[in-house]
Amino acid sequence: MARILPILILSILSYSLAITLASATDGVDDDSFVRAVDRKLLGLKKKEKLSHFRFYWHDIYSGRNPTAMPIIPASNASKTGFGGVSMIDDPLTQGPELTSKLLGRAQGFYAQASLQEVGLLMAMNFVFVTGKYNGSTISILGRNPVFNKVRELPVIGGSGLFRFARGYAQASTHKFTPGTGDATVEYNVYLLHY
């Protein structure tokens, strides 16, 4: 019995140590993957500013070089086109004419997301290709009830000069051709950014 007692005590201590080590790592967040960062290192030393951008979005289904392409057809039973999805790479221009100065591209997709009205779920990046904004993007994700005079969509972020951006975009249809589905939409984007 005298020999069993030290083995029993050693076994109990080993078991207790194993339970303690297991409980120390279970249920406790390991935060070694996150750290605080100095805002100045990310270029956030400046004050945030509010900018207004105005441009025209050209959604073109017709012709030899369409910029919008249906990728999932709409439900045949739906009057609103419910379920249809289109991929886009639409030009963004300074004026309402397609020939006016190219400022960037709207790249992403939209889906017919409403059974009661023509309401789109829009997910797109405004990718700028000119001036100091070249390569910077503004990301839009929101609902667009297209037959409303003015629609508001949230800006959920951006990249380049628009890192940490937030704001909203107002869309209003400038021109729509029912026979082709082609549309020109004026966008006014109000953006808080650094």
Side-chain angles (χ1 to χ4, degrees):
M1 175 108 178
R3 291 184 183 176
I4 296 177
L5 190 58
I7 293 173
L8 184 62
I9 291 173
L10 186 58
S11 296
I12 291 172
L13 287 174
S14 296
Y15 181 72
S16 296
L17 180 61
I19 289 175
T20 303
L21 288 175
S23 66
T25 58
D26 286 347
V28 176
D29 290 334
D30 178 12
D31 60 359
S32 62
F33 66 93
V34 64
R35 65 183 173 89
V37 177
D38 183 357
R39 295 168 59 87
K40 293 176 184 174
L41 294 175
L42 295 177
L44 303 178
K45 57 188 171 223
K46 303 175 197 168
K47 286 188 175 181
E48 203 170 26
K49 57 187 165 186
L50 175 62
S51 296
H52 172 219
F53 296 85
R54 179 176 172 232
F55 45 81
Y56 290 84
W57 177 89
H58 300 271
D59 201 38
I60 306 165
Y61 280 97
S62 66
R64 302 178 101 196
N65 298 309
T67 63
M69 181 71 59
I71 56 173
I72 298 175
S75 165
N76 290 335
S78 172
K79 294 179 182 176
T80 65
F82 180 72
V85 179
S86 292
M87 189 66 63
I88 62 168
D89 186 6
D90 291 341
L92 301 174
T93 62
Q94 190 167 11
E97 301 80 25
L98 187 56
T99 56
S100 66
K101 181 179 179 182
L102 181 70
L103 301 176
R105 313 280 310 178
Q107 298 174 333
F109 68 92
Y110 53 81
Q112 307 278 12
S114 177
L115 288 168
Q116 276 68 44
E117 64 180 331
V118 179
L120 305 177
L121 163 65
M122 300 192 74
M124 61 184 167
N125 290 308
F126 294 145
V127 182
F128 294 97
V129 297
T130 186
K132 73 178 186 177
Y133 301 113
N134 186 20
S136 296
T137 67
I138 297 172
S139 298
I140 303 285
L141 176 65
R143 181 174 186 274
N144 183 354
V146 297
F147 291 122
N148 289 2
K149 185 175 180 178
V150 178
R151 291 89 66 193
E152 187 173 296
L153 298 107
V155 170
I156 61 167
S159 66
L161 291 178
F162 304 124
R163 290 182 192 127
F164 296 103
R166 64 191 190 285
Y168 66 96
Q170 290 181 324
S172 54
T173 303
H174 178 76
K175 180 179 173 187
F176 176 67
T177 309
T180 62
D182 293 354
T184 301
V185 177
E186 179 182 336
Y187 272 86
N188 284 280
V189 180
Y190 298 90
L191 195 67
L192 285 167
H193 63 101
Y194 291 93

